Amino acid sequence: MAARYDHPGEQAAQDPIRLLAIRDTPLSVDEVFTAVGDSAAGGTTLFVGTVRNHDGGADVDALGYSCHPTAEAELRRVAEKVCADYPVRALAAVHRVGDLEVGDIAVVVAVSCPHRGEAFEASRQLIDTLKHEVPIWKHQKFSDGTEEWVGAC
């Protein structure tokens, strides 16, 4: 009887990073979801981060994202680490920069793995590490006329 991980589909793909980008145009959930399609994946997770209408008890009217020139390279480093830690079949991450309004999509990440638990864990590591380590900054504009810069995402 074969061991559980003897089938190639139970392992990470040779090149699981399918899509990484930082864009100043609207993001497509369908594009990201399609990028991580893999017939060996039993679990695919998709996270969509949107601009909410409040933060820290204050009403948010709009915000802008900006990034350091190294942001895409850092995003790749984060993605490679996730792929090293989990049996990722496919991974995609796209973040938007520029001016956004409440309800706009700011970030989309997706991960496909052989099993759902791995997909959830890998996806959570991807978005959490992206948020903390990729040099993207948020400039929030509040309804009361005040503004605030928030470090890395």
Side-chain angles (χ1 to χ4, degrees), residues 35-113:
V36 297
D38 190 291
S39 61
T44 299
T45 58
L46 178 73
F47 173 80
V48 180
T50 56
V51 177
R52 64 180 177 260
N53 66 358
H54 68 281
D55 188 40
D59 293 334
V60 173
D61 284 343
L63 59 80
Y65 284 103
S66 59
C67 69
H68 190 272
T70 63
E72 277 197 21
E74 286 300 306
L75 180 57
R76 175 160 294 280
R77 182 189 59 75
V78 167
E80 288 171 349
K81 175 76 166 97
V82 171
C83 292
D85 291 348
Y86 297 94
V88 174
R89 300 295 308 170
L91 178 148
V94 183
H95 202 295
R96 188 157 172 208
V97 292
D99 294 329
L100 284 76
E101 296 181 11
V102 171
D104 284 348
I105 297 172
V107 61
V108 183
V109 302
V111 177
S112 293
C113 290

Side-chain angles (χ1 to χ4, degrees), residues 5 9 11 20 25 29 31 48 54 57 61 68-69 72 76-77 81 103 118 127 134 149:
Y5 293 107
Q11 301 161 5
L20 294 177
T25 56
V29 172
E31 176 192 23
V48 180
H54 68 281
D61 284 343
H68 190 272
E72 277 197 21
R76 175 160 294 280
R77 182 189 59 75
K81 175 76 166 97
E118 298 159 340
I127 189 61
V134 177
W149 281 94

Side-chain angles (χ1 to χ4, degrees), residues 55 60 62-68 96-99 131 135-142 145-153:
D55 188 40
V60 173
L63 59 80
Y65 284 103
S66 59
C67 69
H68 190 272
R96 188 157 172 208
V97 292
D99 294 329
K131 182 176 174 78
I136 298 173
W137 303 280
K138 178 170 57 174
H139 182 210
Q140 299 186 110
K141 299 172 186 173
F142 298 103
T146 61
E147 300 178 355
E148 173 186 52
W149 281 94
V150 181
C153 286

